[in-house]
Amino acid sequence: MSWKNGVMVTAGLAALLGGAALFKGLAPARYGLPEIELLAPGATGARIAQRDLFGNYFPAKGPGPHPAVLLLGGSEGGLGGGAHHMALALQKEGFAVLHLAYFGAPGQGDALEHIPLERFDHGLEWLKTRPGVDPRRIAVMGASKGAEAALLVASRRADLRAVVAGMPTSVAWNGVNWASGGQSKRASWTAGGKGVPAMPFGDWDQADGIISVYRTVTDPARHADAARAAIPIERARAEMLLVCGEAETMWPACPMARQVAARSKVRSGPAVTVLAYKDAGHFVFGPPIARDHPFYSRLGAYGGSVAGNAAARADGWPRVVAFLRRALTSG
């Protein structure tokens, strides 16, 4: 589920060739497609490469203390353009941002499977110790598979104040492995060295496309699988904002977002707000994109119209920033 915003790999279009090609549009060059991006931090950031952490850090200007955000990309891996654009936008708004790679970077595997959730814990602990960062005002933001990770991380940590998840999921899914055509039988994530209970993919439907393999999460016949793989959101303490497009064609983000909100409410979990846009899809989330930007015309590639996705981003991004400001206010 790539969510790049200017330099996005053409992504799931190759998946439309059939189930065997699932996700191959996101695969690195060794499997016949472009290398995973590892964008340089640029003038306002710094490259971080230590222990199991690889990413770009964008400190907020001024002495602080500032709120901070751990930012996670999707299944494009590495340090892609979409998350990079978000990091710069958040930095301009006064947030310190760690854009963390969790696969596809040096020292990490190419496959999005068996990623230790402890990697995100280490990223958060590193972020909390940065000069000028207020360790009491920390948020996690992710999109697509990064949203999956963000929600899982939030369910493990009581110190987070806010979570923003774009195109989220209500369950942990099986992993993505380019070498085997995309689908993996292994879990995406591990905790304590053991695979996090995961939802298996469903059958490929040529007419329905890539979203067909994810419809298992709303299939009553797969209730046991969904219950076992459900993200235990009630364990979280952070307030949450979930952003999705009703016309999504990559995976059913809005139905899954509502499942997260319903579970949290029934089980006395944290407050969850779902921000849904009718005419938007998998590019619903992120800073606005100018009409003259090369990527603007492709905003509707995974659901909704170009204008609908552009309008959703123009309306949603200020709401994301306002949510973070409020949720991360000191006190």
Side-chain angles (χ1 to χ4, degrees):
M1 279 75 52
S2 180
W3 54 295
K4 292 175 180 285
N5 120 19
V7 282
M8 192 258 324
V9 183
T10 337
L13 295 179
L16 299 178
L17 298 175
L22 180 62
F23 306 126
K24 196 175 180 183
L26 305 175
R30 72 183 63 186
Y31 306 119
L33 288 140
E35 282 289 353
I36 290 173
E37 283 189 309
L38 291 170
L39 293 186
T44 65
R47 174 60 51 82
I48 304 303
Q50 54 184 258
R51 294 178 58 197
D52 61 342
L53 300 183
F54 191 96
N56 291 331
Y57 179 56
F58 303 89
K61 293 182 179 179
H66 299 283
V69 178
L70 176 67
L71 181 63
L72 308 175
S75 63
E76 72 274 10
L79 300 171
H84 182 81
H85 184 48
M86 286 191 192
L88 293 176
L90 289 170
Q91 184 187 39
K92 288 180 180 179
E93 295 290 346
F95 299 95
V97 183
L98 174 60
H99 177 195
L100 185 67
Y102 52 94
F103 80 102
Q108 301 174 357
D110 290 333
L112 203 173
E113 57 182 14
H114 275 203
I115 307 298
L117 292 177
E118 291 82 3
R119 182 168 296 161
F120 306 115
D121 293 333
H122 296 161
L124 285 166
E125 295 307 318
W126 183 90
L127 184 58
K128 289 166 69 174
T129 62
R130 294 308 90 198
V133 166
D134 186 343
R136 302 166 301 168
R137 301 162 64 198
I138 305 293
V140 176
M141 178 185 293
S144 199
K145 286 297 283 190
E148 183 177 324
L151 294 174
L152 284 166
V153 169
S155 73
R156 291 160 46 87
R157 300 184 64 107
D159 57 340
L160 297 177
R161 295 277 292 274
V163 174
V164 179
M167 307 86 72
T169 173
S170 56
V171 299
W173 289 92
N174 274 11
V176 179
N177 190 325
W178 321 127
S180 59
Q183 299 194 46
S184 171
K185 293 183 179 180
R186 305 175 78 194
S188 293
W189 322 101
T190 65
K194 297 181 180 179
V196 171
M199 186 79 179
F201 298 116
D203 295 329
W204 177 272
D205 184 307
Q206 184 70 24
D208 209 17
I210 194 171
I211 198 172
S212 61
V213 303
Y214 292 109
R215 294 203 187 279
T216 51
V217 76
T218 58
D219 182 357
R222 302 294 291 270
H223 175 74
D225 287 332
R228 178 178 54 82
I231 296 172
I233 205 66
E234 66 277 5
R235 299 178 187 171
R237 294 295 177 266
E239 187 176 355
M240 301 189 180
L241 177 64
L242 313 184
V243 184
C244 65
E246 300 282 11
E248 168 100 43
T249 60
M250 184 69 80
W251 67 1
C254 280
M256 293 191 294
R258 294 188 182 101
Q259 288 175 347
V260 172
R263 180 184 177 105
S264 190
K265 183 176 181 180
V266 168
R267 303 192 179 207
S268 300
V272 179
T273 298
V274 177
L275 192 59
Y277 292 92
K278 184 177 181 180
D279 187 24
H282 207 66
F283 294 127
V284 65
F285 183 62
I289 297 177
R291 284 180 174 271
D292 61 353
H293 193 285
F295 186 68
Y296 183 87
S297 63
R298 297 162 62 192
L299 281 172
Y302 296 107
S305 67
V306 169
N309 280 281
R313 294 170 77 104
D315 180 79
W317 185 252
R319 293 172 183 261
V320 167
V321 173
F323 167 79
L324 287 172
R325 288 195 190 286
R326 180 183 57 76
L328 296 179
T329 53
S330 52

